[in-house]
Amino acid sequence: MTLAMAGGLSVAAQTAASASTSSAVRAAADTCSYPYVCIFKNGTRIGQFQDVTSGYQNLPSRPSGPNLTVQNTRNDDVAYVRLSSGSAICIAPKKAYTVNSGTLTGIRIDSRSTC
């Protein structure tokens, strides 16, 4: 799942950008093993989380996009990332989320299997 791209891109540009994002997500998944939820900035892992929690774990580094990917390698647990805007994004098991803009402030792993 990725944030919507800015309007005005040609179909070819959108396809190239999508392929680039997919490559980055695959590369991130290669370095984040089960049962972690990992955060990558420019392809470098900057954090990983494993514990199911009832509340958000604050992210003191407050990473921001672009080129920020959250990879959920868990088989049956969703992960929520909280943005500085106050909104939260749910990441399904074995999926990734790319942050094109915005700042992450927290993460929570939930034992539910669907968003």
Side-chain angles (χ1 to χ4, degrees), residues 69-80:
T69 301
V70 181
Q71 176 73 38
N72 181 2
T73 67
R74 299 177 74 93
N75 295 325
D76 300 313
D77 304 321
V78 299
Y80 291 93

Side-chain angles (χ1 to χ4, degrees), residues 48-60:
Q48 67 181 31
F49 301 84
Q50 178 179 6
D51 297 333
V52 172
T53 59
S54 59
Y56 281 93
Q57 299 176 66
N58 290 324
L59 302 177

Side-chain angles (χ1 to χ4, degrees), residues 1-2 20-32 37-49 59 63-72 81 91 95-102 104 107:
M1 177 186 224
T2 60
S20 175
T21 298
S22 295
S23 296
V25 168
R26 279 193 302 275
D30 290 343
T31 61
C32 184
V37 175
C38 300
I39 301 173
F40 294 87
K41 178 68 176 182
N42 297 317
T44 301
R45 184 174 45 192
I46 60 171
Q48 67 181 31
F49 301 84
L59 302 177
S64 60
N67 303 318
L68 185 67
T69 301
V70 181
Q71 176 73 38
N72 181 2
V81 290
I91 306 168
K95 299 291 181 186
Y97 177 76
T98 300
V99 180
N100 292 317
S101 65
L104 299 182
I107 190 163

